Structure formats: C-alpha cells, structure tokens
Amino acid sequence: VGDIMLDRHIAKYIEENSFESLIDGVRPIFEDNDLVIGNLEGTITANESVSRNNNSILQFTFNPNLVTSLKNIGFSVFSLANNHSFDFKREGYEETIKNLEMAGLKYFGSPNNDLNITYIDKIRVLLLFNYEDEYLSKSRIFNKNNIDINTQLSYNQILNNISLLNHSQINT
C-alpha cells in the first residue's frame, strides 16, 4: 500500500470511532497475503500530535497503540524512507523502530538512505527514497560482499541495480 497517515483528522476519527471502523471497507484486501508493506507517513511515538489541530503543520506522529492494530489487519513490513521519518528528530525515528520491533513488525529505510536493504524471510528488500528529483536519487547499494557504496545514481542506473538485485543469490 502507499502512505499510511494516522495523525490529524484521522487520529480524531479513530479516537471518536475506532481503528476498526476506519479500515472495515478495505480489510479484505489485506487478507491472505504473504507480505503487506506500507509507508509510514510519520513517526510512532508517545509525543503529542502537533498537527492534529493545525493542518498547516506537516509534522506527524501516530499513537503507539495503533501498531498492534496495523499488525492485526495484516501489515508485516513498513518503509521508513520518507520525509516524515525524522518529524520528531532522531529520537522519534528510533522510538518508531522500537514500537515496530516490540510488535514483531519489520521495517526498512530511512530518510538518510542508510538503512535501505533488509532481509525478510530470505527476501531482499530494497527501497530508494527519491528526494532530489525523479532522475537522481541518493541510495545505499550493497555489493556481493555486503559492502555498501553510497553513490548518486541516475534513473537508468537505479533500474539496472534493481534488476541486478532481483537476480542475485541471497545467502542468509
């Protein structure tokens, strides 16, 4: 799935109704999948929301109690490679990771592109966070010896590296 937003008016809706009523219409989409990946468009922290009452503030945090609900509907992995992962600084990012790990959920990526490859049940996952423009992306590439090489890549180089990654052997 794409972006998951659980702050602002969505947080108000969940508080007044329930998380379950929010997702009832889409629940069947999440059933019987081997892997469900979503992009967390914010942090998962105990911090109070700063954007809930002011939509002009684009700094998001989600209630940690919702992590179990996300897992229960079928999510297994979350991308943290976006512009909101550091909305509550490094501490918020690390608290998000802690909350996901405590629920037994996997994650990958960071807005710094320093955690973009992870292994999930012997499947290699790569996410490139494209923050400069559609033709140039900063990414972390690992060679066959798992040595990382941080480079600036063109769009064609990114596609080539994804193709190579898809055809590589994974030894875990």
Side-chain angles (χ1 to χ4, degrees):
V1 301
D3 293 349
I4 298 170
M5 167 53 70
L6 299 172
D7 200 352
R8 297 166 100 176
H9 63 279
I10 302 297
K12 287 180 187 179
Y13 177 89
I14 292 170
E15 188 176 287
E16 293 168 2
N17 299 279
S18 69
F19 179 80
E20 288 67 30
S21 69
L22 177 70
I23 55 98
D24 271 344
V26 295
R27 183 181 297 274
I29 296 170
F30 296 99
E31 295 173 353
D32 300 321
N33 292 296
D34 295 324
L35 193 65
V36 177
I37 302 173
N39 179 53
L40 284 180
E41 194 70 2
T43 60
I44 301 171
T45 71
N47 293 325
E48 186 175 331
S49 172
V50 295
S51 64
R52 186 170 171 170
N53 296 316
N54 184 345
N55 282 340
S56 68
I57 298 174
L58 302 176
Q59 185 179 0
F60 310 122
T61 188
F62 312 147
N63 185 329
N65 295 331
L66 295 174
V67 176
T68 302
S69 297
L70 290 168
K71 182 177 181 177
N72 289 343
I73 64 167
F75 279 100
S76 41
V77 185
F78 292 97
S79 167
L80 305 179
N82 67 68
N83 58 320
H84 291 286
S85 292
F86 282 174
D87 277 359
F88 287 82
K89 302 188 172 143
R90 170 68 72 183
E91 294 80 14
Y93 175 77
E94 290 172 0
E95 187 176 344
T96 299
I97 289 172
K98 182 181 126 204
N99 284 317
L100 293 172
E101 288 177 343
M102 286 177 26
L105 291 164
K106 303 285 187 181
Y107 58 90
F108 61 96
S110 84
N112 292 334
N113 288 308
D114 57 352
L115 297 171
N116 284 352
I117 294 182
T118 191
Y119 292 92
I120 302 166
D121 298 328
K122 297 195 179 204
I123 298 170
R124 187 181 292 184
V125 176
L126 167 69
L127 182 82
L128 302 174
F129 174 53
N130 203 4
Y131 63 90
E132 293 182 28
D133 63 36
E134 63 183 289
Y135 301 107
L136 187 66
S137 180
K138 184 177 179 184
S139 67
R140 187 70 72 180
I141 301 298
F142 285 74
N143 68 13
K144 66 180 181 176
N145 297 316
N146 273 342
I147 298 171
D148 61 323
I149 308 161
N150 195 13
T151 59
Q152 293 290 323
L153 301 173
S154 71
Y155 182 74
N156 287 334
Q157 288 171 314
I158 291 169
L159 292 179
N160 183 55
N161 283 328
I162 290 171
S163 176
L164 291 173
L165 182 66
N166 288 337
H167 295 94
S168 67
Q169 294 290 326
I170 299 172
N171 298 316
T172 58

